[in-house]
Amino acid sequence: LLAPKDLFKNDGASVTTCIITLEKCSDKKEREENIIRVIPRVKTEEEYYNPKRIHLIKQKKYFLLPSKQFYIDVPENLIDILIKSPKITEVIDGNIGMHTHNNKKYIGAIEGTDLAKKYKKKGREIAKKEDIKRGLWHIYIKKGGLNQYWAEIDEAVRWDEESKKNYDIPKNNFFLKEGLIISGISSRLSARYMPKGCLWESNKAIGFVVKNNKVSIYYLLGLLNSKLYNFFMKGIINSTNSIQINDIKQLHFIYPKKELMIEVENLVKKIIKNKKENPNYDYSKEQKKIDNIIFDIYKIDKEEKEFILKYY
């Protein structure tokens, strides 16, 4: 049972409280068939005895989920999608990034960006575009945040042999390939396009490449930035602002019909084109269309759709 949010407010404690009642059971079959009563957040303590909503969930359902997440207020059909559909790792693969151990020394702002003006004032390095082309620097992504679909990359990392000796670089990596970046630090699931030639830092950004030619980067950007996938991540897998690579790999995937995939791709390409011209472009109309297409692909009914749109 999720107790009232301000339960201990008068005692000076700002905490959200959960009350768990357990009964020991030594019979495995009986335990798996046990029906758990899950009561979403109540407003007052009086509701403990007569709550407005009670979800009844068979205990073995929790053992079917990746990492055995304990979900509270989630329609059961949405859980079934995570249990029964293929893993998203069928279509994408990714890895953690690298560490320079001294960002001030080895990272510079890319020539011509707004960040370059700030770096110049501070006396920090500026990476010339010509030197990036020559391979002396590589484009470097180390920002998390809420940016979806596209964001300017304004930093680069030194890539001469002497500098590389100081870096921690994962052996098996997908560096320099075209793909997508998922924010590791963000209040929502946020993915954006990653051009060829990029490296990324290990903490705030996670790089992925597409490994199935039946699916495009642009469709996956639409999927990962959809309301449904934000719900899968923030409502079930990881509700914190710190997303790990294994959290992303726990997502599942349903192959779309070709015409629906093309429709999402075109909307995403439009968003990226407009964001390149205007980083503050309002893509809410396109996003609404993408969300509805993804809801249709995953056969999300009206009640479940309303639940996701309201809370995620």
Side-chain angles (χ1 to χ4, degrees), residues 15 18 22 105 135-136 164 216 221 230 245 253 264 280 296:
V15 293
C18 176
L22 302 172
K105 182 176 180 180
L136 298 176
K164 284 193 285 183
S216 72
L221 284 170
N230 187 53
I245 188 168
F253 182 82
V264 171
N280 297 316
D296 289 342

Side-chain angles (χ1 to χ4, degrees), residues 125-303:
E125 290 284 345
I126 306 298
K128 293 181 180 179
K129 291 179 180 178
E130 183 184 325
D131 288 341
I132 293 173
K133 285 181 182 177
R134 290 170 58 200
L136 298 176
W137 294 79
H138 277 313
I139 300 168
Y140 196 55
I141 303 173
K142 65 183 188 69
K143 291 178 182 175
L146 301 175
N147 260 321
Q148 296 178 306
Y149 296 109
W150 182 86
E152 181 186 43
I153 303 168
D154 52 13
E155 291 177 287
V157 62
R158 287 187 177 279
W159 210 247
D160 57 89
E161 292 304 318
E162 194 59 37
S163 297
K164 284 193 285 183
K165 291 176 184 177
N166 299 286
Y167 303 160
D168 282 342
I169 303 171
K171 288 181 180 179
N172 301 313
N173 63 67
F174 300 101
F175 289 158
L176 309 181
K177 295 182 179 181
E178 182 185 32
L180 53 92
I181 282 287
I182 297 177
S183 293
I185 305 294
S186 178
S187 59
R188 71 180 178 215
L189 185 58
S190 300
R192 56 192 188 270
Y193 178 75
M194 176 176 68
K196 281 184 180 179
C198 289
L199 307 172
W200 57 90
E201 194 176 64
S202 197
N203 294 327
K204 296 178 182 177
I206 309 166
F208 282 84
V209 297
V210 179
K211 67 177 189 179
N212 187 323
N213 59 16
K214 292 180 181 178
V215 185
S216 72
I217 291 171
Y218 299 101
Y219 174 74
L220 286 164
L221 284 170
L223 183 75
L224 291 166
N225 287 320
S226 69
K227 288 276 190 178
L228 178 61
Y229 268 65
N230 187 53
F231 158 73
F232 284 149
M233 179 58 70
K234 297 297 182 177
I236 300 174
I237 293 173
N238 185 339
S239 61
T240 74
N241 286 348
S242 179
I243 298 172
Q244 306 298 316
I245 188 168
N246 287 334
D247 296 330
I248 298 162
K249 290 181 176 182
Q250 287 174 34
L251 289 166
H252 286 239
F253 182 82
I254 290 176
Y255 289 89
K257 290 181 180 178
K258 191 171 183 180
E259 61 269 23
L260 294 176
M261 183 167 69
I262 290 170
E263 199 173 341
V264 171
E265 287 172 351
N266 289 336
L267 288 163
V268 170
K269 287 175 183 177
K270 181 183 177 184
I271 293 170
I272 291 174
K273 178 179 179 293
N274 289 329
K275 284 199 79 177
K276 283 181 178 180
E277 294 171 2
N278 173 17
N280 297 316
Y281 173 71
D282 179 4
Y283 55 89
S284 55
K285 289 181 181 178
E286 291 92 341
Q287 186 62 57
K288 189 175 181 180
K289 290 178 183 177
I290 291 169
D291 289 334
N292 285 328
I293 295 168
I294 301 302
F295 283 140
D296 289 342
I297 291 169
Y298 283 75
K299 296 182 171 61
I300 305 300
D301 64 30
K302 185 181 177 183
E303 187 178 339

Side-chain angles (χ1 to χ4, degrees), residues 33-143:
E33 294 300 312
N34 176 50
I35 302 298
I36 303 174
R37 295 171 73 246
V38 179
I39 301 167
R41 184 77 58 195
V42 296
K43 291 183 179 179
T44 66
E45 290 181 89
E46 286 68 33
E47 285 185 58
Y48 291 171
Y49 308 102
N50 188 24
K52 293 176 182 177
R53 289 188 297 161
I54 299 175
H55 297 308
L56 302 177
I57 302 166
K58 195 169 283 190
Q59 190 161 321
K60 67 180 177 183
K61 277 262 182 177
Y62 282 107
F63 292 95
L64 299 174
L65 279 171
S67 298
K68 302 178 178 60
Q69 287 90 354
F70 195 92
Y71 53 93
I72 298 295
D73 194 6
V74 179
E76 202 160 340
N77 184 49
L78 296 173
I79 294 295
D80 288 338
I81 292 173
L82 282 183
I83 293 170
K84 296 174 182 177
S85 55
K87 285 280 189 78
I88 200 166
T89 47
E90 280 196 14
V91 294
I92 61 171
D93 204 355
N95 58 270
I96 59 171
M98 55 170 276
H99 284 294
T100 69
H101 294 290
N102 189 339
N103 284 352
K104 284 187 177 180
K105 182 176 180 180
Y106 296 112
I107 293 175
I110 296 174
E111 180 183 36
T113 63
D114 288 338
L115 186 65
K117 296 172 187 175
K118 295 177 183 177
Y119 271 34
K120 194 172 182 179
K121 287 180 181 178
K122 293 178 180 179
R124 289 186 61 178
E125 290 284 345
I126 306 298
K128 293 181 180 179
K129 291 179 180 178
E130 183 184 325
D131 288 341
I132 293 173
K133 285 181 182 177
R134 290 170 58 200
L136 298 176
W137 294 79
H138 277 313
I139 300 168
Y140 196 55
I141 303 173
K142 65 183 188 69
K143 291 178 182 175

